[in-house]
Amino acid sequence: MDSALYSTMVRSGRTTYFVDLKEAKNGSKYLSITESKINGEQKQKQTIRIFGETIEEFRKAVNDAAAAITQ
């Protein structure tokens, strides 16, 4: 199991987002974003992982998209 170096969560109605910085056994760090939501009586989870070599590009894309919302 990979260890979490940083962890936070964001709640939005019946959906919770978990944002974790993790370190794999080989020492490489990656971002893990998990969406957990309740759909009826079922709990659904989806996780994406963004690895170190693409994290800056991912951050820029999220920041650009967030900035576009306010325009």
Side-chain angles (χ1 to χ4, degrees):
M1 183 172 193
D2 297 340
S3 61
L5 303 174
Y6 173 83
S7 186
T8 190
M9 74 174 171
V10 177
R11 291 190 180 171
S12 176
R14 292 177 159 244
T15 303
T16 303
Y17 300 96
F18 298 93
V19 180
D20 303 301
L21 174 62
K22 294 188 175 185
E23 185 172 8
K25 290 180 183 178
N26 68 3
S28 62
K29 294 177 184 170
Y30 63 94
L31 184 63
S32 174
I33 303 172
T34 302
E35 175 191 53
S36 177
K37 63 182 174 180
I38 299 171
N39 189 1
E41 292 186 17
Q42 292 184 341
K43 191 174 188 179
Q44 299 175 327
K45 279 188 171 183
Q46 294 184 354
T47 301
I48 61 168
R49 292 171 184 85
I50 301 98
F51 293 91
E53 62 272 9
T54 57
I55 195 71
E56 286 304 319
E57 188 176 343
F58 185 81
R59 181 197 327 236
K60 182 181 181 319
V62 170
N63 286 342
D64 290 350
I69 290 173
T70 60
Q71 293 181 4

